[in-house]
DNA sequence: GAAAATTTGTCCGTATGTATT
DNA sequence: AAATACATACGGACAAATTTT
């Protein structure tokens, strides 16, 4: 790992740039041999900064719960994770990552009624202005938040999906109760952007963090659209895989 | 667009957080009506900062070529773009986006020989230590850089692919000359991270910018792996679409 | 065309945060 | 731990260019 250069006077403090890179390295498995981060003096040399600056970066990571400094021993890696989300016709939140974590949980943040915008109407193949149910959910894996999603459902078919979801905590189960035995992913659109205010609080991120945004359309087995959703994933914690 | 809150003392300067949000809003089409950004005083009020801080943010965006300030008139939006990259069995760089831009171009930055790491060997289904050809390429669309990629090919089959690519500027054509009539995408892995030093120069980004990273495996029609590549896209300029 | 209002550009000074030594 | 240098953020005042009245 040679010449990790860091840029000055870019509006991002050196300690934060370094913290971001160390976090990435940890998730990439660069320090797996020892289970700990290199000594502060080594890192200071590598990044070309003073040891105090490295200490600020490690303090930030310790605050996030990613590392833990032990006097006399070093800085231990507490947690590393990047969950793999397969994207396929059968994409679901919990099933795909079921073998990677011990516990997945989904909670309802809010729900309400919207009218279809022209964009939503086009996707769901309904009339603009038609009533929709909106669900805002937060997905956890092993007690860590990984994604927040907003989903829209045609109100005529799924008028009380919010209540059912609140009880079951699963879209798949809610669909089943409402007569949709199965559903498939039609298309997924993936972009990346900086975390907004809601991401920072809901996903417990720090400013400058990255979110992967997946806009997805699901349809029932008759190919009638049943759900359009916009999900925002903490980019540090996930990867998407597309198998063809 | 209410209450855009901004976080202080997080290691990320206010002007950079604000610049990132305005860039996102521009790409999202929030200011399409006038083709310009709201006045500095309005933005200062919205973000709850001094006008000077807004000016720093807009100066950064002007530096990127995204906006242009005109005294007395306002701050005009110069450019917004997000190319759509379909990911499927038939994924290629130029063909998928061919209808979105006037000109695509690909250039060879560097080439060389590597030996297969354990990870690369596993992906390409060859022995670790086997010789590989490495190509580093830069993809342009309409004279703007959009992606930089590093690709590896088994040297026994594709010993002089670098030369052929240098002439043709196309992986597909190079494969054809080397006896691979057609090839398909086996799997794509998508992550997002902050731009590194190479991204900043090659893709003309500013620090704190985001890159979408696609790690892809291509195989010939006998399902023998022929290429493993890691491509880094300027996240502001692209979106990936997965059709199932 | 002239005046007023709007909007960006530049200058001053002060306080706090960041990074090095 | 303390001193130093630079970046960041704020506040105010005024100039310059453009649009509106």
């Amino acid at each position: 790992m040679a010449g990790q250069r860091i840029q000055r006077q870019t509006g991002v403090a050196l300690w934060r740039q370094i913290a971001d890179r160390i976090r990435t390295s940890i998730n990439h498995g660069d320090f797996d041999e020892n289970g700990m981060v290199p000594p502060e003096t080594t890192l200071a040399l590598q990044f070309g900064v003073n040891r105090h600056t490295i200490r600020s970066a490690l303090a930030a990571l310790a605050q996030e719960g990613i590392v833990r400094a032990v006097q006399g021993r070093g800085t231990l890696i507490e947690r590393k994770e990047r969950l793999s989300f397969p994207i396929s016709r059968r994409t679901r939140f919990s099933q795909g990552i079921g073998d990677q974590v011990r516990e997945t949980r989904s909670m309802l943040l809010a729900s309400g009624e919207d009218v279809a915008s022209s964009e939503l109407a086009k996707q769901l193949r309904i009339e603009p202005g038609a009533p929709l149910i909106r669900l805002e959910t937060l997905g956890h894996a092993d007690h860590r938040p990984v994604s927040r999603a907003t989903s829209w459902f045609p109100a005529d078919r799924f008028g009380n999906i919010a209540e059912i979801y609140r009880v079951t905590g699963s879209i798949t189960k809610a669909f089943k109760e409402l007569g949709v035995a199965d559903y498939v992913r039609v298309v997924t659109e993936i972009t990346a952007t900086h975390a907004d205010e809601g991401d920072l609080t809901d996903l417990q991120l720090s400013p400058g963090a990255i979110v992967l945004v997946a806009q997805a359309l699901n349809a029932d087995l008759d190919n009638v659209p049943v759900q359009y959703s916009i999900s925002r994933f903490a980019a540090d914690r996930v990867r998407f895989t597309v198998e063809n």
Side-chain angles (χ1 to χ4, degrees), chain A:
Chain A
M1 189 193 322
Q4 295 248 33
R5 212 159 309 160
I6 287 293
Q7 308 222 347
R8 289 159 199 261
Q9 303 169 21
T10 60
V12 184
L14 298 188
W15 65 264
R16 171 139 302 284
Q17 294 183 56
I18 293 168
D20 290 340
R21 295 222 188 163
I22 293 176
R23 195 196 299 103
T24 302
S25 288
I26 289 173
N27 280 326
H28 193 256
D30 291 350
F31 311 131
D32 280 3
E33 294 167 24
N34 315 333
M36 53 195 296
V37 165
E40 292 170 356
T41 50
T42 306
L43 290 170
L45 206 64
Q46 277 180 10
F47 285 105
V49 299
N50 195 276
R51 177 170 157 256
H52 296 310
T53 309
I54 297 290
R55 285 182 63 74
S56 298
L58 291 177
L61 294 178
Q63 184 64 32
E64 291 180 44
I66 292 175
V67 301
R68 177 171 53 96
V70 179
Q71 211 173 108
R73 252 181 95 189
T75 304
L76 312 181
I77 296 170
E78 285 283 281
R79 172 169 48 76
K80 51 170 275 196
E81 53 186 342
R82 182 162 279 191
L83 294 174
S84 220
F85 278 82
I87 296 181
S88 70
R89 261 184 104 69
R90 303 279 318 166
T91 295
R92 276 122 182 77
F93 175 77
S94 57
Q95 289 178 1
I97 58 170
D99 52 345
Q100 302 173 59
V101 296
R102 288 183 299 279
E103 192 214 5
T104 62
R105 196 162 51 88
S106 214
M107 60 181 288
L108 188 62
L109 293 180
S111 65
E113 295 188 33
D114 286 354
V115 292
S117 65
S118 60
E119 168 69 11
L120 275 172
K122 196 178 116 197
Q123 294 283 350
L124 288 168
R125 286 198 281 151
I126 56 178
E127 292 300 311
L132 298 173
I133 306 293
R134 186 191 72 251
L135 296 191
E136 291 174 31
T137 57
L138 189 60
H140 291 256
D142 280 345
H143 308 283
R144 302 263 311 161
V146 293
S147 75
R148 58 192 286 253
T150 304
S151 296
W152 288 271
F153 308 84
D156 54 353
R157 287 183 74 182
F158 308 109
N160 57 341
I161 195 170
E163 280 184 44
I164 305 177
Y165 180 84
R166 199 189 313 272
V167 176
T168 61
S170 157
I171 297 280
T172 306
K173 286 178 187 165
F175 271 144
K176 234 167 218 158
E177 286 208 29
L178 292 167
V180 179
D182 200 2
Y183 63 100
V184 295
R185 175 70 56 95
V186 177
V187 64
T188 309
E189 202 171 274
I190 300 166
T191 55
T193 183
H194 288 96
D196 65 23
E197 194 193 347
D199 300 326
L200 299 184
T201 55
D202 289 345
L203 299 177
Q204 297 172 18
L205 298 173
S206 44
I210 301 173
V211 289
L212 273 163
V213 183
Q215 305 186 46
L217 180 67
N218 285 329
D220 64 19
L221 296 186
D222 297 326
N223 209 28
V224 177
V226 292
Q227 175 188 16
Y228 185 77
S229 64
I230 301 178
S231 304
R232 303 169 69 88
F233 295 79
D236 270 334
R237 299 172 197 156
V238 304
R239 68 159 49 85
F240 295 151
T241 56
V242 183
E243 312 227 12
N244 293 119

